[in-house]
Amino acid sequence: MKITPYSLGALLLPLLALPAPTPAVAHPTPVAAHHRHSAAAISAFLTSFYGHHGPSDLDRELRISQQLKDKQAHTPLSDVLLCAQNEPEDIAIGTVTVAQAAGVGWATVTTHWGDDRTDTFTAYVRLDSRPIKLDDVICAG
């Protein structure tokens, strides 16, 4: 059998009638990753979490990351959530900054002590944590 350009076209014609395969839709990130906490939500969380004198035992159990639980276990003489050894007289939460690309939000937390002394530290929250949790604390000094 001699193959001519016309016979090749005749062979391809039935293939062209077949439906084209549907390309798979690729999702660059999981659907759950689209949920991001806002600065307002992080501020409300930190204000509730720290209150006026520090987090409750229940907050310490349910509202912090495993990383912070491990950090506290390795630092038994200091409260890593307050960067202190005692309970402060009052706590104030500063303005929350959100870095979408880094997936984290943070605020400066100021603790007030009896002798008009203050200390500060930075509290971090992952934007995609479900439920919202304190992820890390970095003491100022």
Side-chain angles (χ1 to χ4, degrees):
M1 168 172 147
K2 181 177 177 186
I3 299 178
T4 66
Y6 300 111
S7 62
L8 283 176
L11 291 172
L12 292 176
L13 198 55
L15 292 175
L16 293 175
L18 294 174
T22 305
V25 177
H27 294 283
T29 56
V31 175
H34 292 289
H35 173 79
R36 301 283 189 173
H37 303 300
S38 66
I42 293 170
S43 180
F45 166 76
L46 291 174
T47 300
S48 167
F49 180 83
Y50 278 106
H52 291 288
H53 304 290
S56 68
D57 290 340
L58 188 60
D59 286 336
R60 291 171 183 275
E61 180 62 32
L62 300 177
R63 298 174 77 189
I64 68 171
S65 67
Q66 186 60 47
Q67 170 184 315
L68 271 175
K69 290 177 184 178
D70 295 344
K71 193 175 186 179
Q72 183 62 67
H74 289 98
T75 316
L77 299 179
S78 181
D79 186 341
V80 299
L81 302 181
L82 293 169
C83 296
Q85 293 179 336
N86 301 315
E87 182 179 288
E89 286 190 359
D90 198 20
I91 298 175
I93 307 298
T95 302
V96 172
T97 301
V98 172
Q100 291 290 340
V104 68
W106 66 89
T108 298
V109 178
T110 303
T111 51
H112 299 270
W113 304 91
D115 53 0
D116 290 331
R117 186 176 54 91
T118 62
D119 281 325
T120 61
F121 58 89
T122 306
Y124 294 88
V125 173
R126 284 186 28 185
L127 299 182
D128 62 352
S129 60
R130 298 285 273 171
I132 191 169
K133 289 185 178 187
L134 185 64
D135 191 55
D136 200 4
V137 172
I138 305 297
C139 301

